[in-house]
Amino acid sequence: MDATIHLAQQPEADELLGRSALAALVGMLLDQQIPMEWAFTGPYTVAQRLGADDLDAGEIAAYDPDAFAELLRQKPAVHRYPASMAKRVQELCRHLVDEYGGDASAVWRDVTSGAELLTRLKALPGYGEQKAQIFLALLGKQYGVRPEGWREAAGAYGEEGSFRSAADITGPQSLARVRAWKQEKKAAAKAAAAAPGKSAKKPPGRGRA
């Protein structure tokens, strides 16, 4: 991999994301319930604490679970929930070892279609439909991984010129636009939930006469 990435908004962390398939996968895995920059800085922090310049799926998979959780828990913590995320990172790495010989880039190296790539991503521990589609869009838009039909497989996240997710962030301005879109979406959802008839409970039924 050789891409210019600005997801961590931190030069050393972004450099690792640009050259390491495993770092990119782990960063995407961590991107939940914390700010995106914090999540995508995580792989670099983990690599530093392991005394390495990259992540190794085999090493992480074989790491003592308690020790690995402590490694993520050290301040500054890698995630708001370091113990549970440490478990997920190890599960992801074990899957990569078992299915791809520990080579994270093999997840997409020989795929022939976007649909096939989406299926592989959804099979990764910690990757649901939405996360898989966002990562697929990220691969296509910023890493040059573009099997036939990749935009369609990525759904709305694959749309050209969109500002919906990490796949669309190339710097501070695009980050601000993605955050604004997410805030608008949340506000719309909140308004819809508060609309008359949406949250009011129906009176208990009286049964049939």
Side-chain angles (χ1 to χ4, degrees), residues 44-207:
Y44 176 73
T45 303
V46 172
Q48 280 195 311
R49 292 175 183 175
L50 290 172
D53 64 357
D54 196 356
L55 300 180
D56 182 279
E59 178 184 7
I60 293 174
Y63 217 86
D64 175 77
D66 292 335
F68 191 67
E70 180 57 34
L71 187 144
L72 268 67
R73 189 180 293 113
Q74 294 173 24
K75 295 184 178 180
V78 170
H79 196 275
R80 179 175 294 151
Y81 305 107
S84 62
M85 294 312 295
K87 181 179 179 180
R88 291 188 182 187
V89 171
Q90 287 196 290
E91 289 173 348
L92 171 64
C93 288
R94 292 189 192 105
H95 179 86
L96 293 172
V97 169
D98 293 342
E99 300 296 328
Y100 299 100
D103 181 2
S105 62
V107 174
W108 52 83
R109 182 181 300 127
D110 61 349
V111 294
T112 59
S113 70
E116 180 185 4
L117 178 52
L118 181 62
T119 296
R120 289 189 180 190
L121 291 172
K122 287 168 61 177
L124 298 176
Y127 275 66
E129 177 88 19
Q130 184 181 52
K131 190 177 289 289
Q133 285 190 313
I134 292 173
F135 192 77
L136 198 163
L138 177 63
L139 287 173
K141 292 181 176 182
Q142 300 199 42
Y143 288 94
V145 178
R146 297 164 182 159
E148 184 177 357
W150 71 271
R151 286 191 187 275
E152 293 78 6
Y157 300 106
E159 293 177 2
E160 188 172 0
S162 65
F163 291 92
R164 299 173 183 271
S165 71
D168 304 309
I169 295 171
T170 57
Q173 290 185 335
S174 52
L175 172 59
R177 292 186 68 176
V178 168
R179 286 211 166 118
W181 180 85
K182 289 184 176 182
Q183 288 171 356
E184 290 175 4
K185 186 178 179 182
K186 287 182 179 179
K190 186 176 181 180
K198 293 291 185 180
S199 58
K201 293 184 178 180
K202 294 181 180 180
R206 297 184 179 181

